[in-house]
mmCIF file with all atom_site columns, all heavy atoms in Angstrom:
data_model
loop_
_atom_site.group_PDB
_atom_site.id
_atom_site.type_symbol
_atom_site.label_atom_id
_atom_site.label_alt_id
_atom_site.label_comp_id
_atom_site.label_asym_id
_atom_site.label_entity_id
_atom_site.label_seq_id
_atom_site.pdbx_PDB_ins_code
_atom_site.Cartn_x
_atom_site.Cartn_y
_atom_site.Cartn_z
_atom_site.occupancy
_atom_site.B_iso_or_equiv
_atom_site.pdbx_formal_charge
_atom_site.auth_seq_id
_atom_site.auth_comp_id
_atom_site.auth_asym_id
_atom_site.auth_atom_id
_atom_site.pdbx_PDB_model_num
ATOM   1   N N   . GLU A 1 47  ? 107.221 85.761 107.194 1.00 99.00 ? 47  GLU A N   1
ATOM   2   C CA  . GLU A 1 47  ? 108.408 86.315 107.884 1.00 99.00 ? 47  GLU A CA  1
ATOM   3   C C   . GLU A 1 47  ? 109.413 86.708 106.750 1.00 99.00 ? 47  GLU A C   1
ATOM   4   O O   . GLU A 1 47  ? 109.538 85.977 105.722 1.00 99.00 ? 47  GLU A O   1
ATOM   5   C CB  . GLU A 1 47  ? 108.971 85.155 108.713 1.00 99.00 ? 47  GLU A CB  1
ATOM   6   C CG  . GLU A 1 47  ? 110.338 85.431 109.276 1.00 99.00 ? 47  GLU A CG  1
ATOM   7   C CD  . GLU A 1 47  ? 110.989 84.183 109.929 1.00 99.00 ? 47  GLU A CD  1
ATOM   8   O OE1 . GLU A 1 47  ? 110.914 83.042 109.357 1.00 99.00 ? 47  GLU A OE1 1
ATOM   9   O OE2 . GLU A 1 47  ? 111.695 84.316 110.976 1.00 99.00 ? 47  GLU A OE2 1
ATOM   10  N N   . PHE A 1 53  ? 115.693 83.705 102.592 1.00 98.00 ? 53  PHE A N   1
ATOM   11  C CA  . PHE A 1 53  ? 115.978 83.438 104.048 1.00 98.00 ? 53  PHE A CA  1
ATOM   12  C C   . PHE A 1 53  ? 117.484 83.328 104.219 1.00 98.00 ? 53  PHE A C   1
ATOM   13  O O   . PHE A 1 53  ? 118.032 82.176 104.307 1.00 98.00 ? 53  PHE A O   1
ATOM   14  C CB  . PHE A 1 53  ? 115.245 82.229 104.494 1.00 98.00 ? 53  PHE A CB  1
ATOM   15  C CG  . PHE A 1 53  ? 115.289 82.085 106.037 1.00 98.00 ? 53  PHE A CG  1
ATOM   16  C CD1 . PHE A 1 53  ? 114.491 82.946 106.795 1.00 98.00 ? 53  PHE A CD1 1
ATOM   17  C CD2 . PHE A 1 53  ? 116.084 81.164 106.618 1.00 98.00 ? 53  PHE A CD2 1
ATOM   18  C CE1 . PHE A 1 53  ? 114.610 82.889 108.218 1.00 98.00 ? 53  PHE A CE1 1
ATOM   19  C CE2 . PHE A 1 53  ? 116.240 81.106 107.998 1.00 98.00 ? 53  PHE A CE2 1
ATOM   20  C CZ  . PHE A 1 53  ? 115.421 81.979 108.772 1.00 98.00 ? 53  PHE A CZ  1
ATOM   21  N N   . LYS A 1 127 ? 110.686 89.598 116.760 1.00 98.00 ? 127 LYS A N   1
ATOM   22  C CA  . LYS A 1 127 ? 110.704 88.153 117.097 1.00 98.00 ? 127 LYS A CA  1
ATOM   23  C C   . LYS A 1 127 ? 111.315 87.892 118.494 1.00 98.00 ? 127 LYS A C   1
ATOM   24  O O   . LYS A 1 127 ? 112.542 88.262 118.692 1.00 98.00 ? 127 LYS A O   1
ATOM   25  C CB  . LYS A 1 127 ? 111.423 87.410 116.004 1.00 98.00 ? 127 LYS A CB  1
ATOM   26  C CG  . LYS A 1 127 ? 111.369 85.927 116.095 1.00 98.00 ? 127 LYS A CG  1
ATOM   27  C CD  . LYS A 1 127 ? 112.020 85.247 114.846 1.00 98.00 ? 127 LYS A CD  1
ATOM   28  C CE  . LYS A 1 127 ? 111.950 83.802 114.722 1.00 98.00 ? 127 LYS A CE  1
ATOM   29  N NZ  . LYS A 1 127 ? 112.432 83.349 113.405 1.00 98.00 ? 127 LYS A NZ  1
ATOM   30  N N   . PRO A 1 131 ? 115.684 81.555 116.816 1.00 96.00 ? 131 PRO A N   1
ATOM   31  C CA  . PRO A 1 131 ? 116.219 80.185 117.030 1.00 96.00 ? 131 PRO A CA  1
ATOM   32  C C   . PRO A 1 131 ? 117.593 80.097 116.335 1.00 96.00 ? 131 PRO A C   1
ATOM   33  O O   . PRO A 1 131 ? 118.077 81.121 115.770 1.00 96.00 ? 131 PRO A O   1
ATOM   34  C CB  . PRO A 1 131 ? 115.237 79.339 116.217 1.00 96.00 ? 131 PRO A CB  1
ATOM   35  C CG  . PRO A 1 131 ? 114.735 80.252 115.132 1.00 96.00 ? 131 PRO A CG  1
ATOM   36  C CD  . PRO A 1 131 ? 114.753 81.651 115.748 1.00 96.00 ? 131 PRO A CD  1
ATOM   37  N N   . HIS A 1 144 ? 121.514 77.627 110.358 1.00 96.00 ? 144 HIS A N   1
ATOM   38  C CA  . HIS A 1 144 ? 120.435 78.524 110.725 1.00 96.00 ? 144 HIS A CA  1
ATOM   39  C C   . HIS A 1 144 ? 121.001 79.548 111.630 1.00 96.00 ? 144 HIS A C   1
ATOM   40  O O   . HIS A 1 144 ? 121.068 79.377 112.877 1.00 96.00 ? 144 HIS A O   1
ATOM   41  C CB  . HIS A 1 144 ? 119.329 77.704 111.377 1.00 96.00 ? 144 HIS A CB  1
ATOM   42  C CG  . HIS A 1 144 ? 118.048 78.557 111.499 1.00 96.00 ? 144 HIS A CG  1
ATOM   43  N ND1 . HIS A 1 144 ? 117.006 78.367 110.585 1.00 96.00 ? 144 HIS A ND1 1
ATOM   44  C CD2 . HIS A 1 144 ? 117.738 79.612 112.348 1.00 96.00 ? 144 HIS A CD2 1
ATOM   45  C CE1 . HIS A 1 144 ? 116.055 79.309 110.909 1.00 96.00 ? 144 HIS A CE1 1
ATOM   46  N NE2 . HIS A 1 144 ? 116.431 80.027 111.969 1.00 96.00 ? 144 HIS A NE2 1
ATOM   47  N N   . GLU A 1 146 ? 120.220 82.609 112.651 1.00 98.00 ? 146 GLU A N   1
ATOM   48  C CA  . GLU A 1 146 ? 119.428 83.829 112.981 1.00 98.00 ? 146 GLU A CA  1
ATOM   49  C C   . GLU A 1 146 ? 120.087 84.576 114.216 1.00 98.00 ? 146 GLU A C   1
ATOM   50  O O   . GLU A 1 146 ? 120.003 85.809 114.284 1.00 98.00 ? 146 GLU A O   1
ATOM   51  C CB  . GLU A 1 146 ? 118.078 83.399 113.379 1.00 98.00 ? 146 GLU A CB  1
ATOM   52  C CG  . GLU A 1 146 ? 117.122 83.500 112.198 1.00 98.00 ? 146 GLU A CG  1
ATOM   53  C CD  . GLU A 1 146 ? 115.681 83.376 112.685 1.00 98.00 ? 146 GLU A CD  1
ATOM   54  O OE1 . GLU A 1 146 ? 115.112 84.336 113.237 1.00 98.00 ? 146 GLU A OE1 1
ATOM   55  O OE2 . GLU A 1 146 ? 115.062 82.234 112.425 1.00 98.00 ? 146 GLU A OE2 1
ATOM   56  N N   . CYS A 1 172 ? 107.423 83.085 113.044 1.00 98.00 ? 172 CYS A N   1
ATOM   57  C CA  . CYS A 1 172 ? 107.931 81.674 112.830 1.00 98.00 ? 172 CYS A CA  1
ATOM   58  C C   . CYS A 1 172 ? 108.163 80.882 114.087 1.00 98.00 ? 172 CYS A C   1
ATOM   59  O O   . CYS A 1 172 ? 107.185 80.360 114.573 1.00 98.00 ? 172 CYS A O   1
ATOM   60  C CB  . CYS A 1 172 ? 109.264 81.835 112.069 1.00 98.00 ? 172 CYS A CB  1
ATOM   61  S SG  . CYS A 1 172 ? 109.661 80.146 111.361 1.00 98.00 ? 172 CYS A SG  1
ATOM   62  N N   . ASN A 1 173 ? 109.364 80.755 114.571 1.00 98.00 ? 173 ASN A N   1
ATOM   63  C CA  . ASN A 1 173 ? 109.621 79.900 115.732 1.00 98.00 ? 173 ASN A CA  1
ATOM   64  C C   . ASN A 1 173 ? 108.868 80.208 116.892 1.00 98.00 ? 173 ASN A C   1
ATOM   65  O O   . ASN A 1 173 ? 108.446 79.288 117.740 1.00 98.00 ? 173 ASN A O   1
ATOM   66  C CB  . ASN A 1 173 ? 111.098 79.939 116.147 1.00 98.00 ? 173 ASN A CB  1
ATOM   67  C CG  . ASN A 1 173 ? 111.571 78.848 117.012 1.00 98.00 ? 173 ASN A CG  1
ATOM   68  O OD1 . ASN A 1 173 ? 111.765 78.987 118.187 1.00 98.00 ? 173 ASN A OD1 1
ATOM   69  N ND2 . ASN A 1 173 ? 111.603 77.567 116.415 1.00 98.00 ? 173 ASN A ND2 1
ATOM   70  N N   . ARG A 1 175 ? 105.785 80.401 117.053 1.00 98.00 ? 175 ARG A N   1
ATOM   71  C CA  . ARG A 1 175 ? 104.475 79.628 117.027 1.00 98.00 ? 175 ARG A CA  1
ATOM   72  C C   . ARG A 1 175 ? 104.624 78.335 117.750 1.00 98.00 ? 175 ARG A C   1
ATOM   73  O O   . ARG A 1 175 ? 103.643 77.694 117.985 1.00 98.00 ? 175 ARG A O   1
ATOM   74  C CB  . ARG A 1 175 ? 104.049 79.448 115.535 1.00 98.00 ? 175 ARG A CB  1
ATOM   75  C CG  . ARG A 1 175 ? 104.769 78.350 114.762 1.00 98.00 ? 175 ARG A CG  1
ATOM   76  C CD  . ARG A 1 175 ? 104.333 78.447 113.373 1.00 98.00 ? 175 ARG A CD  1
ATOM   77  N NE  . ARG A 1 175 ? 104.856 77.417 112.373 1.00 98.00 ? 175 ARG A NE  1
ATOM   78  C CZ  . ARG A 1 175 ? 106.083 77.400 111.947 1.00 98.00 ? 175 ARG A CZ  1
ATOM   79  N NH1 . ARG A 1 175 ? 107.040 78.183 112.371 1.00 98.00 ? 175 ARG A NH1 1
ATOM   80  N NH2 . ARG A 1 175 ? 106.397 76.455 111.031 1.00 98.00 ? 175 ARG A NH2 1
ATOM   81  N N   . ARG A 1 176 ? 105.916 77.900 117.994 1.00 98.00 ? 176 ARG A N   1
ATOM   82  C CA  . ARG A 1 176 ? 106.083 76.577 118.701 1.00 98.00 ? 176 ARG A CA  1
ATOM   83  C C   . ARG A 1 176 ? 106.038 76.713 120.179 1.00 98.00 ? 176 ARG A C   1
ATOM   84  O O   . ARG A 1 176 ? 106.189 75.722 120.917 1.00 98.00 ? 176 ARG A O   1
ATOM   85  C CB  . ARG A 1 176 ? 107.428 76.008 118.200 1.00 98.00 ? 176 ARG A CB  1
ATOM   86  C CG  . ARG A 1 176 ? 107.461 75.886 116.628 1.00 98.00 ? 176 ARG A CG  1
ATOM   87  C CD  . ARG A 1 176 ? 108.628 75.095 116.233 1.00 98.00 ? 176 ARG A CD  1
ATOM   88  N NE  . ARG A 1 176 ? 108.951 75.271 114.785 1.00 98.00 ? 176 ARG A NE  1
ATOM   89  C CZ  . ARG A 1 176 ? 108.433 74.516 113.779 1.00 98.00 ? 176 ARG A CZ  1
ATOM   90  N NH1 . ARG A 1 176 ? 107.553 73.510 114.128 1.00 98.00 ? 176 ARG A NH1 1
ATOM   91  N NH2 . ARG A 1 176 ? 108.697 74.771 112.562 1.00 98.00 ? 176 ARG A NH2 1
ATOM   92  N N   . ASN A 1 197 ? 109.416 81.002 107.811 1.00 98.00 ? 197 ASN A N   1
ATOM   93  C CA  . ASN A 1 197 ? 110.336 80.367 106.828 1.00 98.00 ? 197 ASN A CA  1
ATOM   94  C C   . ASN A 1 197 ? 110.797 79.145 107.538 1.00 98.00 ? 197 ASN A C   1
ATOM   95  O O   . ASN A 1 197 ? 111.714 79.102 108.367 1.00 98.00 ? 197 ASN A O   1
ATOM   96  C CB  . ASN A 1 197 ? 111.547 81.175 106.597 1.00 98.00 ? 197 ASN A CB  1
ATOM   97  C CG  . ASN A 1 197 ? 111.347 82.368 105.683 1.00 98.00 ? 197 ASN A CG  1
ATOM   98  O OD1 . ASN A 1 197 ? 111.609 82.271 104.447 1.00 98.00 ? 197 ASN A OD1 1
ATOM   99  N ND2 . ASN A 1 197 ? 110.835 83.445 106.178 1.00 98.00 ? 197 ASN A ND2 1
ATOM   100 N N   . SER A 1 198 ? 110.145 78.029 107.300 1.00 98.00 ? 198 SER A N   1
ATOM   101 C CA  . SER A 1 198 ? 110.451 76.736 108.041 1.00 98.00 ? 198 SER A CA  1
ATOM   102 C C   . SER A 1 198 ? 111.093 75.698 107.051 1.00 98.00 ? 198 SER A C   1
ATOM   103 O O   . SER A 1 198 ? 110.346 75.382 106.073 1.00 98.00 ? 198 SER A O   1
ATOM   104 C CB  . SER A 1 198 ? 109.298 76.135 108.708 1.00 98.00 ? 198 SER A CB  1
ATOM   105 O OG  . SER A 1 198 ? 108.979 76.987 109.799 1.00 98.00 ? 198 SER A OG  1
ATOM   106 N N   . PRO A 1 199 ? 112.283 75.306 107.221 1.00 97.00 ? 199 PRO A N   1
ATOM   107 C CA  . PRO A 1 199 ? 112.871 74.342 106.376 1.00 97.00 ? 199 PRO A CA  1
ATOM   108 C C   . PRO A 1 199 ? 111.941 73.031 106.364 1.00 97.00 ? 199 PRO A C   1
ATOM   109 O O   . PRO A 1 199 ? 111.416 72.625 107.336 1.00 97.00 ? 199 PRO A O   1
ATOM   110 C CB  . PRO A 1 199 ? 114.195 73.981 106.968 1.00 97.00 ? 199 PRO A CB  1
ATOM   111 C CG  . PRO A 1 199 ? 114.492 75.043 107.915 1.00 97.00 ? 199 PRO A CG  1
ATOM   112 C CD  . PRO A 1 199 ? 113.193 75.656 108.443 1.00 97.00 ? 199 PRO A CD  1
ATOM   113 N N   . MET A 1 202 ? 115.242 68.858 107.844 1.00 90.00 ? 202 MET A N   1
ATOM   114 C CA  . MET A 1 202 ? 116.292 69.330 108.901 1.00 90.00 ? 202 MET A CA  1
ATOM   115 C C   . MET A 1 202 ? 117.432 68.332 108.770 1.00 90.00 ? 202 MET A C   1
ATOM   116 O O   . MET A 1 202 ? 117.385 67.250 109.369 1.00 90.00 ? 202 MET A O   1
ATOM   117 C CB  . MET A 1 202 ? 115.724 69.245 110.281 1.00 90.00 ? 202 MET A CB  1
ATOM   118 C CG  . MET A 1 202 ? 114.364 69.955 110.533 1.00 90.00 ? 202 MET A CG  1
ATOM   119 S SD  . MET A 1 202 ? 114.548 71.718 110.595 1.00 90.00 ? 202 MET A SD  1
ATOM   120 C CE  . MET A 1 202 ? 115.136 71.944 112.307 1.00 90.00 ? 202 MET A CE  1
ATOM   121 N N   . ARG A 1 212 ? 107.461 67.336 109.935 1.00 97.00 ? 212 ARG A N   1
ATOM   122 C CA  . ARG A 1 212 ? 107.575 68.792 109.850 1.00 97.00 ? 212 ARG A CA  1
ATOM   123 C C   . ARG A 1 212 ? 106.201 69.487 109.739 1.00 97.00 ? 212 ARG A C   1
ATOM   124 O O   . ARG A 1 212 ? 105.877 70.406 110.430 1.00 97.00 ? 212 ARG A O   1
ATOM   125 C CB  . ARG A 1 212 ? 108.400 69.233 108.694 1.00 97.00 ? 212 ARG A CB  1
ATOM   126 C CG  . ARG A 1 212 ? 109.891 68.768 108.746 1.00 97.00 ? 212 ARG A CG  1
ATOM   127 C CD  . ARG A 1 212 ? 110.578 69.553 109.821 1.00 97.00 ? 212 ARG A CD  1
ATOM   128 N NE  . ARG A 1 212 ? 110.852 70.886 109.591 1.00 97.00 ? 212 ARG A NE  1
ATOM   129 C CZ  . ARG A 1 212 ? 110.978 71.829 110.568 1.00 97.00 ? 212 ARG A CZ  1
ATOM   130 N NH1 . ARG A 1 212 ? 110.872 71.533 111.889 1.00 97.00 ? 212 ARG A NH1 1
ATOM   131 N NH2 . ARG A 1 212 ? 111.213 73.138 110.276 1.00 97.00 ? 212 ARG A NH2 1
HETATM 132 N N1  . CDV B 2 .   ? 112.608 80.982 110.817 1.00 55.01 ? 401 CDV B N1  1
HETATM 133 C C1  . CDV B 2 .   ? 112.431 80.130 111.854 1.00 55.01 ? 401 CDV B C1  1
HETATM 134 O O1  . CDV B 2 .   ? 112.236 80.622 112.983 1.00 55.01 ? 401 CDV B O1  1
HETATM 135 N N2  . CDV B 2 .   ? 112.604 78.796 111.624 1.00 55.01 ? 401 CDV B N2  1
HETATM 136 C C2  . CDV B 2 .   ? 112.429 77.788 112.648 1.00 55.01 ? 401 CDV B C2  1
HETATM 137 C C3  . CDV B 2 .   ? 113.395 76.707 112.393 1.00 55.01 ? 401 CDV B C3  1
HETATM 138 C C4  . CDV B 2 .   ? 114.823 76.992 112.700 1.00 55.01 ? 401 CDV B C4  1
HETATM 139 C C5  . CDV B 2 .   ? 113.090 75.443 113.197 1.00 55.01 ? 401 CDV B C5  1
HETATM 140 C C6  . CDV B 2 .   ? 111.044 77.270 112.755 1.00 55.01 ? 401 CDV B C6  1
HETATM 141 O O2  . CDV B 2 .   ? 110.598 77.172 113.867 1.00 55.01 ? 401 CDV B O2  1
HETATM 142 O O3  . CDV B 2 .   ? 110.483 76.881 111.782 1.00 55.01 ? 401 CDV B O3  1
#
Side-chain angles (χ1 to χ4, degrees):
E47 171 190 37
F53 190 74
K127 187 172 185 176
H144 194 100
E146 269 193 73
C172 196
N173 194 254
R175 76 190 184 288
R176 306 188 194 272
N197 283 262
S198 291
M202 308 284 279
R212 294 295 288 153

